[in-house]
Amino acid sequence: RTAAVHFEPDDQVDRLKSEILRKLTYSLGKAPAAAQAHDWLTAGILATRDHAIDVWQASTKESYATGRKRVYYLSLEFLIGRSLADTLNNLGLTEPMTRAMRELGVDLPEIETIEPDAALGNGGLGRLAACYMEAMASTGVPALGYGIRYDHGLFKQGIENGRQIERPEDWLSFRNPWEFERREASYRIGFGGSVAASGPDQVVWTPEETVFAVAYDTPVVGWRGRDSTTLRLWRARAMHPLSLDAFNKGDLVGAVAERNRAEAISKVLYPNDSTPAGQELRLRQEFFFTSASLQDLVHRHHRQFGSLDNLAEKAAIQLNDTHPSLAVAELMRLLLDEHKFNWEKAWEITNATISYTNHTLLPEALETWPVALVERLLPRHMQIIFGINARFLDAVRRRSPDADLASLSLIDEHHGRRVRMANLAFVGSHTVNGVSALHSNLMKETVFAQLHRAFPERITNVTNGITPRRWLLNANPGLTRLLQEVCGEAVADDIGLVRQFGAHADDRAVQERLAAIRRDNKLRLAKVIQQDCGVVVDPEVLFDVQIKRVHEYKRQLLNILETIALYNAIRSEPYRDWAPRVKVFAGKAASNYTTAKSIINLINDVAAVVNNDITTRDRLKVVFLPNYNVSLAELIIPAADLSEQISTAGMEASGTGNMKFALNGAITIGTLDGANIEIGERVGADNIVIFGLTADEVEIAKRNPRPSAEVIRATPHLEGVLDAVAGGAYSPGERDRYAQLVEGLRLNDWFLVLRDFESYHQAQRRVDALWADRARWWQMSVANTAHCAWFSADRAIGEYAERIWHVPAGQAARA
Ligand code: 26W
């Protein structure tokens, strides 16, 4: 499908120029002479959006006309980042738009950097959803992504005196030129109230409170503008924005109380990554967007096909983790109460339509809600959940009398009766998937062991993927040019072609080109490091990078403790030929996660000491870049030599940053965890640096913990490092600042920081040796890029489409 008429290059530039000027004049009401950078950006986005709309309407029209099956991707998070550069690239308009802007006196790359970074997500799960929306558009899978249009995305992180401070994020303050408000697509979302039986399986629910969900649509254009998907985000509005009663009595606060309560639902993203907030407002968010999305898709299906009997043939609903688990109960409610299906038929349709992706096995991350809360907020849904549970447990009991019903139940009876959202999602889905081979296997053995016995066919694996358009073509144009020269222009269309790059691993000319590209990328990053951290770093040194949410299981603490050991070693033998390094950290900590915040503080305190020590001056630097987000990742990843993927084995479900680094040619130092294992299998054991306990060994180590004191005694240098940290060597103004952090390790090394220390330290010395042999290093780098095409999101989406959704892709995913 061709999106728009193709023009000769010059015509195209002229056309874009006049489109931009029209937007500036008639949509923004600005004369070119008065336009500020931000006005040019908005005009550029609006002009680009017109081109996206051409694609979008063609896609939508086609999928309606042919009655094709559609995917509905329900996610409480979409971590989008900036959109202009990627949209232009996918539309093939980067060149002409750059020229058009230049002829209007505007530097496009410069104004692109003032586009706000849409951070409607916390980390991996949210970014995955964004990559998948783009990959579905690129591979021709008709799809709608459903989520919440938060007024405020993930908080902005500042570092003050070495400590994280949170500032509110405000991405909508200049409006969002990409979106379309759809007042006509709005639904009533009920809360509370009472229920009364009205038929054998039917109930009338009379909510006590009702809020409106209003749709905001954004087109997501795929590669070469062949196709597009839609991101539909819901905003909460009050039914009655002003209570006239209260207003007339002079109660001005009371007059807007309903409005405030309703609009609170889409006010702000919860900044928790992996621990449930447990607040009522969060449950309201979950139901709000789940109900709006299901009402919308059921309504549209009914309008298109006149019946819901064939819903499962035309709709695949994917639950991105348990946050939208209420979809199971809400779809049942719509089928039973509104469309008068009987229970059996409604259940059959629900189960055939829904599937669920699990993203974490950390026990503290598994969502549960008190039965009493669900009952009060969603009385009908609680009834339905009990109904599902009774039938499910009955069926299991009949089939296998010795089954462990207490652990299968949708209700946890041990902690004051709570609804287990993972069990609800699991039972309600036809397929449940993990996000890496190891993770999917561990699901079967641990958290979902009993459910897996009850449904041995249900769990499958789809290893995560990343979009190569954003993370290679756009983030790393230098490497992309080289790959196109070596593997052909078509690598952009078929990332699988990077495999040919592998044949050039020993080619000196290729190695030199790679070194020059990396150096340029490092220079770009060095400028930002100087601006944001006030530290001058030399682009010739090894850039050793760990960027991700800060969490104990990700073990930034292991990295910084080993950095201290290295610092001590350099100081005691300053004349040895140390591989000069800069340790780059970035990442946010949940605002209430004290230990993670203390780790950030320690990294910054260590940086202050190390960076001011003249003995280690040209050997070691430590920097913590504030406010990690998608845009910063796009800058950092192409500049990385070494990628730190050092989670405690068994704890990182997959990781996706690991894939981005490897595709860009960084060498991974990592544990055998998540997708690291699959990266290792593809790039080969010689081209990755693996250390530490395996997931099986971690299991054993946890059952039989070795006392920390013993581990410390057996590990050279560790005692000194811990004593220094605990004794205030890095916090001279507050000597016991890290006493608790270190005491925690000594008491219970739950994440095996101490246990894996020596192995990690040795692995870093192997890195030193590899770096010293630069030809070897570039060989490894080539192998990483050449063998990581499989981690393309197009491949992952192809697997979902074929094995879970049963939708034909428009274009076969080639990876
Ligand atoms: C309810 C609290 C909560 C919030 C977020 C629980 C769990 C989460 C997410 C599941 C955390 C998350 O982002 N998980 C990450 O998902 C990525 C995409 O699959 C994986 O690559 C990461 O390994 C996993 O940590």
Side-chain angles (χ1 to χ4, degrees):
R1 185 190 304 143
T2 38
V5 195
H6 282 287
F7 289 82
E8 286 304 302
D10 286 341
D11 293 350
Q12 211 176 20
V13 173
D14 287 342
R15 200 170 79 127
L16 283 171
K17 265 168 70 180
S18 73
E19 287 168 1
I20 296 164
L21 288 172
R22 277 195 73 84
K23 295 295 180 191
L24 198 62
T25 313
Y26 297 107
S27 301
L28 305 180
K30 281 268 174 112
Q36 312 267 306
H38 198 274
D39 300 316
W40 288 110
L41 171 67
T42 308
I45 290 175
L46 291 174
T48 305
R49 191 181 69 169
D50 285 356
H51 291 260
I53 291 169
D54 292 334
V55 177
W56 194 27
Q57 293 189 339
S59 287
T60 313
K61 208 163 116 197
E62 194 218 57
S63 95
Y64 263 92
T66 55
R68 284 177 68 189
K69 186 168 185 175
R70 250 192 307 276
V71 173
Y72 299 94
Y73 199 87
L74 268 63
S75 180
L76 207 43
E77 305 190 2
F78 288 91
L79 220 184
I80 299 162
R82 294 184 181 132
S83 291
L84 181 54
D86 281 68
T87 306
L88 284 171
N89 220 281
N90 277 1
L91 288 166
L93 291 176
T94 305
E95 287 284 324
M97 184 60 97
T98 310
R99 276 179 57 195
M101 283 288 188
R102 194 182 307 127
E103 290 178 21
L104 293 166
V106 179
D107 183 50
L108 179 63
E110 196 178 303
I111 61 164
E112 280 172 351
T113 66
I114 59 177
E115 183 182 358
D117 187 296
L120 310 184
N122 273 290
L125 160 143
R127 182 55 232 175
L128 188 76
C131 278
Y132 282 0
M133 290 308 297
E134 194 271 352
M136 290 190 280
S138 291
T139 56
V141 172
L144 228 86
Y146 281 121
I148 294 182
R149 180 182 174 278
Y150 300 104
D151 291 345
H152 304 284
L154 187 61
F155 67 85
K156 287 192 167 166
Q157 178 195 55
I159 300 294
E160 278 180 13
N161 299 320
R163 270 183 276 257
Q164 166 174 302
I165 54 146
E166 300 95 23
R167 283 181 278 109
E169 190 283 338
D170 206 12
W171 69 301
L172 294 174
S173 61
F174 281 93
R175 311 189 114 91
N176 172 7
W178 292 106
E179 71 187 7
F180 292 95
E181 181 178 350
R182 305 289 195 207
R183 288 258 163 178
E184 69 286 6
S186 66
Y187 296 89
R188 289 158 191 264
I189 313 298
F191 292 100
S194 57
V195 288
S198 66
D201 291 325
Q202 280 67 34
V203 161
V204 175
W205 171 31
T206 314
E208 172 195 75
E209 180 191 351
T210 305
V211 305
F212 266 129
V214 179
Y216 285 72
D217 287 350
T218 302
V220 180
V221 181
W223 179 238
R224 289 209 187 274
R226 284 191 208 108
D227 238 314
S228 100
T229 55
T230 302
L231 186 57
R232 173 161 276 196
L233 301 180
W234 301 104
R235 178 181 188 192
R237 313 294 332 248
M239 298 272 288
H240 312 101
L242 196 69
S243 153
L244 273 183
D245 243 18
F247 186 78
N248 290 337
K249 287 185 201 132
D251 176 8
L252 299 191
V253 172
V256 293
E258 181 195 329
R259 173 167 172 186
N260 288 338
R261 188 172 158 74
E263 295 183 356
I265 295 175
S266 56
K267 262 292 170 268
V268 57
L269 167 79
Y270 273 95
N272 304 57
D273 184 78
S274 84
T275 41
Q279 317 265 5
E280 180 172 333
L281 180 59
R282 168 73 175 206
L283 184 60
R284 284 163 66 87
Q285 288 186 334
E286 293 185 355
F287 180 66
F288 167 79
F289 103 99
T290 300
S291 174
S293 310
L294 279 158
Q295 290 187 57
D296 187 47
L297 77 89
V298 162
H299 171 78
R300 286 147 54 101
H301 180 94
H302 201 272
R303 202 176 50 193
Q304 191 176 358
F305 298 101
S307 151
L308 292 171
D309 291 316
N310 65 341
L311 184 70
E313 285 149 48
K314 297 294 179 185
I317 300 175
Q318 188 68 35
L319 308 183
N320 200 23
D321 216 274
T322 57
H323 318 149
S325 283
L326 286 167
V328 175
E330 175 68 354
L331 183 52
M332 284 296 283
R333 183 186 72 83
L334 292 169
L335 293 170
L336 294 169
D337 299 349
E338 314 237 308
H339 294 273
K340 313 297 176 203
F341 282 88
N342 66 35
W343 184 283
E344 281 63 38
K345 188 69 195 161
W347 183 245
E348 184 189 315
I349 294 172
T350 297
N351 190 257
T353 307
I354 294 179
S355 45
Y356 151 59
T357 307
N358 173 277
H359 296 266
T360 176
L361 297 174
L362 299 183
E364 71 270 23
L366 295 178
E367 269 191 305
T368 62
W369 291 104
V371 167
L373 172 61
V374 178
E375 208 143 46
R376 173 163 61 75
L377 217 57
L378 303 165
R380 177 55 176 145
H381 298 79
M382 197 60 246
Q383 274 187 338
I384 291 172
I385 292 168
F386 282 137
I388 296 170
N389 201 31
R391 288 169 175 85
F392 161 57
L393 294 178
D394 265 357
V396 176
R397 207 179 287 119
R398 260 180 278 120
R399 263 190 294 148
S400 32
D402 61 333
D404 177 4
L405 297 183
S407 79
L408 287 169
S409 175
L410 306 192
I411 310 296
D412 178 355
E413 309 275 354
H414 306 295
H415 307 93
R417 300 203 87 203
R418 302 176 72 97
V419 182
R420 292 171 167 149
M421 304 305 268
N423 294 40
L424 175 61
F426 193 109
V427 170
S429 296
H430 58 87
T431 307
V432 174
N433 77 286
V435 289
S436 73
L438 173 70
H439 167 68
S440 299
N441 286 331
L442 289 175
M443 282 174 71
K444 298 178 189 170
E445 291 164 17
T446 62
V447 182
F448 296 96
Q450 299 303 323
L451 285 162
H452 175 57
R453 280 187 59 194
F455 301 101
E457 309 281 275
R458 195 159 291 188
I459 298 181
T460 186
N461 174 248
V462 182
T463 298
N464 283 164
I466 57 166
T467 168
R469 271 76 60 185
R470 181 178 290 261
W471 296 108
L472 178 63
L473 308 195
N474 297 343
N476 201 343
L479 180 56
T480 301
R481 263 191 303 279
L482 176 60
L483 291 171
Q484 286 184 317
E485 283 170 37
V486 174
C487 314
E489 291 286 318
V491 277
D493 299 284
D494 181 358
I495 188 68
L497 295 175
V498 293
R499 179 158 308 230
Q500 298 174 23
F501 195 46
H504 302 265
D506 300 317
D507 181 336
R508 286 301 283 268
V510 165
Q511 295 189 355
E512 271 162 37
R513 286 282 299 282
L514 269 184
I517 293 161
R518 180 71 53 77
R519 190 173 191 285
D520 281 352
N521 295 340
K522 285 158 84 168
L523 262 172
R524 275 196 301 167
L525 176 58
K527 287 201 184 109
V528 173
I529 291 175
Q530 180 160 15
Q531 265 167 35
D532 292 5
C533 308
V535 178
V536 177
V537 298
D538 177 357
E540 295 305 324
V541 311
L542 189 159
F543 278 35
D544 171 341
V545 179
Q546 187 173 20
I547 51 172
K548 48 183 82 240
R549 285 301 288 253
V550 180
H551 203 296
E552 286 163 280
Y553 84 81
K554 294 178 189 281
R555 298 200 293 192
Q556 283 91 353
L557 187 53
L558 174 59
N559 187 346
I560 196 66
L561 292 177
E562 202 280 326
T563 302
I564 296 172
L566 174 64
Y567 171 63
N568 292 340
I570 299 175
R571 277 170 32 112
S572 62
E573 285 183 89
Y575 302 110
R576 245 182 70 179
D577 55 343
W578 301 101
R581 288 189 192 225
V582 53
K583 287 264 175 186
V584 179
F585 292 86
K588 293 174 183 175
S591 27
N592 58 357
Y593 190 170
T594 320
T595 307
K597 286 181 134 177
S598 176
I599 294 168
I600 291 177
N601 200 174
L602 176 60
I603 296 169
N604 281 291
D605 281 350
V606 170
V609 171
V610 170
N611 298 341
N612 289 309
D613 187 329
I614 74 171
T615 0
T616 52
R617 197 184 41 200
D618 47 4
R619 319 290 174 82
L620 186 62
K621 288 275 185 290
V622 178
V623 296
F624 187 99
L625 280 158
N627 201 34
Y628 181 53
N629 60 14
V630 173
S631 304
L632 198 52
E634 288 165 6
L635 176 74
I636 296 174
I637 291 168
D641 297 306
L642 186 65
S643 156
E644 298 268 357
Q645 307 299 336
I646 61 177
S647 50
T648 313
M651 294 198 174
E652 188 69 273
S654 162
T656 44
N658 48 2
M659 302 168 187
K660 295 165 194 169
F661 281 103
L663 186 60
N664 278 281
I667 309 307
T668 302
I669 181 168
T671 47
L672 287 173
D673 199 13
N676 297 351
I677 297 174
E678 290 157 82
I679 292 175
E681 285 167 4
R682 283 179 172 77
V683 305
D686 291 345
N687 297 312
I688 188 166
V689 180
I690 295 294
F691 73 93
L693 299 186
T694 64
D696 289 337
E697 290 163 352
V698 167
E699 245 291 286
I700 296 166
K702 285 200 163 169
R703 270 188 277 123
N704 285 305
R706 196 186 288 172
S708 292
E710 189 188 312
V711 176
I712 295 167
R713 240 179 292 119
T715 310
H717 319 301
L718 187 51
E719 180 79 79
V721 170
L722 294 176
D723 284 348
V725 173
Y730 299 92
S731 51
E734 185 188 343
R735 309 196 65 84
D736 58 358
R737 183 176 294 164
Y738 302 110
Q740 277 204 22
L741 189 65
V742 174
E743 191 56 21
L745 292 176
R746 293 192 197 272
L747 279 175
N748 183 351
D749 184 15
W750 186 251
F751 299 96
L752 305 175
V753 169
L754 307 179
R755 271 295 285 271
D756 272 344
F757 183 90
E758 181 57 18
S759 171
Y760 179 56
H761 183 73
Q762 296 298 335
Q764 288 289 18
R765 303 296 71 81
R766 300 206 292 280
V767 170
D768 289 340
L770 291 165
W771 181 252
D773 180 358
R774 216 53 61 85
R776 174 79 191 96
W777 189 274
W778 293 117
Q779 263 179 5
M780 295 175 70
S781 175
V782 169
N784 271 269
T785 299
H787 296 120
C788 282
W790 188 80
F791 296 101
S792 166
D794 299 357
R795 184 275 312 158
I797 285 301
E799 289 191 32
Y800 278 100
E802 192 179 322
R803 298 185 5 239
I804 299 181
W805 302 329
H806 306 291
V807 295
Q811 293 101 235
R814 288 161 295 202

